[in-house]
């Protein structure tokens, strides 16, 4: 069974392309009944309020919540992280509906507006141990959220060190080099505040595919794909270059 990618709005095409690079088929999901035909689901980055309104319009929230409860792997990137959180702060007036399931509190626009988007080298020890490659990941943050609190069953996979002056959320009493959580995992749920689909590094997609326990077809397809080094060498000159500030 292929990996579903919620295709209401946002970077769903980029996720499907990233899956293709590791030999896995991704399919667009727009209707509740389509979830019956996929083994796992990616909720992409985009405009979370717009995505929520479209999901409500298509009556997708009950099916998405049931998908999560069934224990099928779900990965949320950026806006998808907000969707999966049990609680979100910094929302627009009236808030937005959430899928929930991930025991954490997310600040919707922790890093600020679109013009405050940036790139950063994020340490990813667990990802590197399982997928190889360098010990850090070049992460793209676009009007990004952040995880403020996590429950006892949530595993923190990545944090970023930032200066207190760069924290937009006024409720956070941050000190210099404060660490902010930007990637977590809880059971069948994976969430990243950044956009792996906008990079040439496919390790997060491979990591997620391997969460599909018992789906031998997907795991075998992923494991037979080219190595991280081969993918990076082949794709580097084909990937559009970003022009965002870099936090060293």
């Amino acid at each position: 069974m292929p990996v579903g990618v919620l295709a209401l709005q946002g970077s769903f095409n980029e996720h499907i392309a990233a899956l293709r690079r590791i030999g896995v088929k991704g399919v667009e999901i727009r209707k509740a009944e389509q979830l019956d035909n996929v083994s796992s689901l990616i909720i992409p980055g985009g405009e979370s309020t717009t995505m929520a309104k479209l999901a409500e319009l298509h009556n997708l929230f009950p099916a998405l919540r049931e998908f999560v409860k069934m224990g099928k792997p779900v990965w949320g990137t950026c806006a998808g992280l907000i969707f999966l959180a049990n609680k979100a702060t910094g929302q627009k007036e009236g808030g937005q509906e959430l899928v929930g399931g991930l025991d954490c509190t997310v600040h919707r626009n922790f890093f600020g507006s679109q013009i405050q988007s940036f790139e950063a080298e994020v340490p990813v020890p667990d990802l590197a141990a399982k997928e190889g490659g360098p010990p850090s990941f070049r992460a793209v943050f676009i009007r990004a959220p952040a995880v403020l609190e996590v429950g006892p069953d949530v595993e923190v996979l990545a944090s970023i060190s930032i200066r207190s002056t760069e924290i937009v959320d006024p409720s956070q009493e941050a000190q210099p080099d404060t660490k902010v959580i930007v990637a977590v995992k809880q059971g069948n749920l994976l969430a990243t505040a950044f956009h792996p689909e906008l990079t040439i590094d496919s390790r997060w997609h491979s990591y997620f595919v391997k969460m599909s326990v018992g789906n031998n077809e997907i795991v075998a397809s992923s494991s037979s794909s080219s190595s991280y080094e081969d993918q990076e060498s082949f794709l580097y000159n084909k990937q559009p270059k970003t022009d965002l500030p870099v936090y060293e």
Side-chain angles (χ1 to χ4, degrees), residues 120-125 127-128 132-139 201 203-204 228:
E121 289 289 341
V122 179
V124 286
L127 182 72
S136 65
F137 182 88
R138 184 71 160 197
D201 190 337
R203 288 180 295 167
W204 282 104
Y228 166 82

Side-chain angles (χ1 to χ4, degrees), residues 125-232:
D126 189 67
L127 182 72
K130 290 182 171 61
E131 300 298 329
S136 65
F137 182 88
R138 184 71 160 197
V140 179
F141 293 83
I142 301 176
R143 202 168 73 170
V147 179
L148 304 182
E149 298 176 346
V150 297
D153 297 325
V154 177
E155 180 185 359
V156 175
L157 299 180
S159 300
I160 181 174
S161 295
I162 59 175
R163 297 185 296 271
S164 59
T165 55
E166 293 162 349
I167 297 178
V168 173
D169 181 7
S171 68
Q172 302 302 301
E173 298 179 359
Q175 301 300 318
D177 296 324
T178 292
K179 286 190 176 295
V180 178
I181 299 170
V182 293
V184 293
K185 180 178 181 293
Q186 180 185 359
N188 59 307
L189 303 180
L190 175 68
T192 55
F194 45 89
H195 291 262
E197 75 279 10
L198 300 183
T199 75
I200 61 173
D201 190 337
S202 299
R203 288 180 295 167
W204 282 104
H205 289 82
S206 178
Y207 182 95
F208 174 66
V209 164
K210 291 172 184 175
M211 287 172 57
S212 299
V213 179
N215 195 323
N216 295 325
E217 181 180 353
I218 280 187
V219 174
S221 178
S222 174
S223 62
S224 65
S225 62
S226 59
S227 68
Y228 166 82
E229 289 79 8
D230 290 341
Q231 292 176 36
E232 184 181 53

Side-chain angles (χ1 to χ4, degrees), residues 89-108:
T89 64
Q91 298 193 61
K92 295 179 181 178
E93 186 176 351
Q96 70 179 64
E97 196 168 355
L98 302 174
V99 174
L102 188 59
D103 187 12
C104 70
T105 300
V106 171
H107 190 285
R108 187 173 171 272

Side-chain angles (χ1 to χ4, degrees), residues 58-118:
H58 293 284
N59 196 31
L60 269 167
F61 277 106
L64 290 171
R65 293 189 183 108
E66 182 62 25
F67 196 90
V68 169
K69 289 178 182 177
M70 289 172 64
K72 294 186 177 182
V74 181
W75 175 21
T77 64
C78 197
L81 163 61
I82 299 169
F83 261 55
L84 290 179
N86 283 344
K87 182 180 179 182
T89 64
Q91 298 193 61
K92 295 179 181 178
E93 186 176 351
Q96 70 179 64
E97 196 168 355
L98 302 174
V99 174
L102 188 59
D103 187 12
C104 70
T105 300
V106 171
H107 190 285
R108 187 173 171 272
N109 287 124
F110 187 88
F111 292 103
S113 66
Q114 192 86 6
I115 62 172
Q116 291 167 303
S117 301
F118 63 95

